């Protein structure tokens, strides 16, 4: 069960490869009473993943979270992490979902629809949104992300 103890505002976007999984995750989060803002696409016609990663990444702030889905998750994570406020993590299982939040204070979850099945994806979403950043030594490390 997803607990809304981090944020209740989630931005979501995908490319054509991630479209079906986006719909599934969106419905799941809406049922859990999250406010989900869909940045498209709105059908599964072929699109370019950088366009949709950018649409979402530019809207990320300290008061919301994001989910991006493409075929592998790789392209979306590369693009999203070019934005200063984004800490995007490409996650494949429950353990990395938990650690992405606890250690990296990740605010954008990236999934690969061709490498992560629906059940696993929902497990990942569930854990990502209920896990808190541990702060402490991890805050010092996260603060160093932008020093490049
Ligand atoms: C689209 O075919 C595919 O390249 C895209 O979804 C993603 O996997 C890119 O990283």
């Amino acid at each position: 069960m997803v607990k809304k103890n981090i944020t209740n505002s989630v931005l979501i976007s995908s490319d054509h490869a991630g479209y079906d999984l986006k719909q599934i995750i969106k419905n799941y989060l809406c049922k859990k009473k999250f406010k989900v803002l869909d940045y498209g696409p709105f059908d599964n016609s072929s699109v370019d993943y950088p366009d949709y990663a950018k649409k979402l990444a530019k809207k990320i702030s300290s008061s919301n979270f994001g989910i991006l889905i493409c075929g592998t998750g790789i392209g979306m994570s590369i693009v999203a992490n070019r934005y200063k406020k984004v800490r995007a993590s490409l996650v494949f299982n429950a353990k990395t979902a938990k650690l992405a939040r606890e250690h990296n204070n990740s605010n954008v979850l990236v999934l690969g629809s061709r490498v992560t099945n629906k059940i696993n994806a929902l497990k990942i979403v569930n854990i990502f949104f209920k896990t808190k950043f541990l702060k402490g030594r991890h805050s010092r490390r996260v603060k160093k992300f932008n020093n490049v």
Side-chain angles (χ1 to χ4, degrees):
M1 181 75 66
V2 174
K3 284 188 202 147
K4 295 188 294 170
N5 59 3
I6 297 169
T7 178
N8 64 356
S9 178
V10 181
L11 319 186
I12 193 164
S13 187
S14 72
D15 69 354
H16 52 283
Y19 176 78
D20 289 344
L21 186 56
K22 173 166 73 75
Q23 300 309 107
I24 290 167
I25 293 173
K26 194 170 98 172
N27 291 339
Y28 177 75
L29 289 174
C30 285
K31 276 188 199 148
K32 305 290 174 201
K33 308 288 182 221
F34 280 78
K35 183 182 168 204
V36 182
L37 300 167
D38 191 344
Y39 282 79
F42 300 104
D43 63 43
N44 62 3
S45 310
S46 182
V47 292
D48 295 337
Y49 62 83
D51 296 337
Y52 286 87
K54 288 176 184 177
K55 275 179 206 281
L56 182 142
K58 64 174 69 152
K59 298 289 181 185
I60 291 296
S61 70
S62 55
S63 57
N64 59 23
F65 273 58
I67 300 178
L68 288 169
I69 311 156
C70 62
T72 59
I74 296 170
M76 287 286 203
S77 14
I78 292 171
V79 176
N81 276 317
R82 298 172 73 91
Y83 287 74
K84 212 173 174 181
K85 291 181 182 168
V86 170
R87 294 177 299 281
S89 50
L90 174 53
V91 165
F92 293 103
N93 52 37
K95 183 156 190 173
T96 49
K98 187 165 184 271
L99 289 169
R101 288 287 314 127
E102 285 183 345
H103 287 200
N104 312 112
N105 199 16
S106 179
N107 56 1
V108 175
L109 171 64
V110 189
L111 296 166
S113 61
R114 292 174 178 156
V115 290
T116 305
N117 67 33
K118 175 190 147 183
I119 292 173
N120 195 28
L122 292 180
K123 256 187 220 165
I124 289 168
V125 167
N126 188 33
I127 290 174
F128 192 85
F129 285 104
K130 76 175 183 193
T131 305
K132 286 181 179 164
F133 181 42
L134 288 179
K135 300 185 181 169
R137 67 186 185 281
H138 302 295
S139 295
R140 184 182 70 241
R141 292 164 186 166
V142 169
K143 276 187 196 135
K144 294 183 177 183
F145 284 7
N146 289 329
N147 295 341
V148 286

